[in-house]
């Protein structure tokens, strides 16, 4: 569908670079995440969190709040993580929606999401939605063959 490619292009855009230093732009891959713990581990690793108190969400929030440098976090294919059930523990309820909502409350953290869904990841965040139009067949062919030149003459190119 090209969601990731568009999001990566946004993350690498020169204008984005004027606000967010390269070291403050983070890609969080969500494909294949099977638990909230795994989601937090991947988020922590992606954000290069060094603190490890045994409370990963607190460590993540502490790291993000430790400076007021603008941060941009891309959650790629978030629909996978959004399907995870809420976890109840001694610390309370924990969900991906709740985690993202906590991150969004940090004023200098911006969130970019790719998602294959009509449902927003959180009702508590004022999302700015950008609908991506379909790419025309000829443009799609040009994009695909520029990535994979050997496909240019393939008989099944138009069926992809």
């Amino acid at each position: 569908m090209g969601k990731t490619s568009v999001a990566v292009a946004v993350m690498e855009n020169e204008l984005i670079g004027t606000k967010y230093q390269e070291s403050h732009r983070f890609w969080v891959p969500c494909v294949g995440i099977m638990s909230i713990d795994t989601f937090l581990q991947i988020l922590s690793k992606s954000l290069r969190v060094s603190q490890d108190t045994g409370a990963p969400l607190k460590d993540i929030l502490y790291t993000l709040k430790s400076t007021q440098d603008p941060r941009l976090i891309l959650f790629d294919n978030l629909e996978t993580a959004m399907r995870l059930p809420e976890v109840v523990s001694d610390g309370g309820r924990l969900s991906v929606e709740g985690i993202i909502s906590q991150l969004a409350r940090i004023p200098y953290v911006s969130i970019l999401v790719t998602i294959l869904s009509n449902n927003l990841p959180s009702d508590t965040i004022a999302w700015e939605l950008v609908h991506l139009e379909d790419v025309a067949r000829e443009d799609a062919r040009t994009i695909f063959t520029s990535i994979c030149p050997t496909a240019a003459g393939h008989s099944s190119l138009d069926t992809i």
Side-chain angles (χ1 to χ4, degrees):
M1 301 234 12
K3 302 179 310 296
T4 299
S5 297
V6 171
V8 169
V10 168
M11 296 281 281
E12 294 175 351
N13 181 278
E14 186 177 321
L15 187 58
I16 293 296
T18 62
K19 180 171 181 176
Y20 305 96
Q21 295 176 21
E22 188 173 344
S23 62
H24 293 152
R25 289 177 260 166
F26 308 96
W27 179 60
V28 182
C30 297
V31 171
I33 292 178
M34 303 298 278
S35 71
I36 300 264
D37 287 338
T38 304
F39 178 74
L40 287 170
Q41 288 171 1
I42 291 171
L43 179 58
S44 183
K45 182 176 180 180
S46 297
L47 295 175
R48 298 183 291 278
V49 172
S50 57
Q51 181 171 311
D52 185 5
T53 64
L57 181 56
K58 288 181 181 178
D59 295 341
I60 290 165
L61 295 172
Y62 174 82
T63 298
L64 289 173
K65 293 176 181 178
S66 65
T67 72
Q68 292 189 6
D69 296 329
R71 313 282 175 79
L72 178 58
I73 304 170
L74 164 60
F75 289 98
D76 191 24
N77 293 300
L78 185 61
E79 68 274 3
T80 305
M82 292 304 299
R83 290 188 212 115
L84 296 173
E86 182 177 77
V87 174
V88 179
S89 67
D90 295 340
R93 298 178 180 273
L94 193 59
S95 67
V96 170
E97 178 180 356
I99 293 165
I100 292 173
S101 294
Q102 287 187 57
L103 299 177
R105 284 196 287 272
I106 303 171
Y108 37 87
V109 170
S110 298
I111 297 172
L112 178 61
V113 170
T114 68
I115 191 165
L116 187 58
S117 174
N118 291 328
N119 299 321
L120 296 174
S122 172
D123 293 331
T124 63
I125 298 171
W127 296 101
E128 183 176 329
L129 302 178
V130 178
H131 177 73
L132 302 178
E133 297 297 326
D134 293 340
V135 177
R137 180 179 294 276
E138 235 0 87
D139 293 336
R141 174 193 292 270
T142 301
I143 293 166
F144 189 81
T145 56
S146 70
I147 294 168
C148 183
T150 58
H154 201 278
S155 61
S156 64
L157 181 60
D158 288 330
T159 62
I160 297 177

